[in-house]
Amino acid sequence: MGTRNAAHSRGGIDSDAITRIEDAASVVRLARTNPSCSDALIAAEGELSIAAQSANDLGVSWQTIGETLGVARGNAYKRYRRRPVTETDSHSSSLAPPRRPRHKPDCQI
């Protein structure tokens, strides 16, 4: 993929952040191919979201994040940006550590 080479040519932290996004996106794609992997898909999508947010926090542009994922900059921003905590969120367990998925025996990721 040409985007990978362009993003990795910068080296350093940006490169690591892009690699994390690519790896998480690969797991999401794999999980989507197996309907029995719904828990793994939820976990993988969460990891992808965290990877994109972390990359942006490190200074990676939404343009680069979008190119890495094969989506437009605006779509990457809308989907993966950090959202402010709302009144209803503060009453939920959003601060709890992420739940580890229970992988079903036939889920091969």
Side-chain angles (χ1 to χ4, degrees):
M1 179 178 195
T3 307
R4 180 181 180 106
N5 293 335
H8 284 272
S9 66
R10 292 182 296 184
I13 294 173
D14 287 2
S15 175
D16 294 341
I18 296 298
T19 298
R20 187 173 172 208
I21 291 171
E22 291 170 337
D23 292 347
S26 293
V27 175
V28 167
R29 283 191 295 275
L30 284 172
R32 284 183 179 156
T33 63
N34 189 341
S36 68
C37 293
S38 60
D39 287 343
L41 177 58
I42 291 167
E45 287 176 338
E47 177 61 27
L48 178 55
S49 181
I50 291 168
Q53 292 167 3
S54 296
N56 185 252
D57 289 346
L58 292 170
V60 178
S61 70
W62 287 111
Q63 178 71 36
T64 300
I65 293 169
E67 288 173 358
T68 301
L69 295 171
V71 300
R73 174 192 57 83
N75 291 342
Y77 172 78
K78 283 181 184 178
R79 182 161 188 168
Y80 300 111
R81 75 183 185 278
R82 289 195 198 281
R83 291 176 180 83
V85 176
T86 64
E87 178 79 20
T88 56
D89 291 339
S90 65
H91 298 292
S92 70
S93 61
S94 62
L95 299 178
R99 179 177 65 96
R100 291 281 180 203
R102 291 179 293 133
H103 293 286
K104 297 177 183 172
D106 55 345
C107 180
Q108 303 278 326
I109 297 183

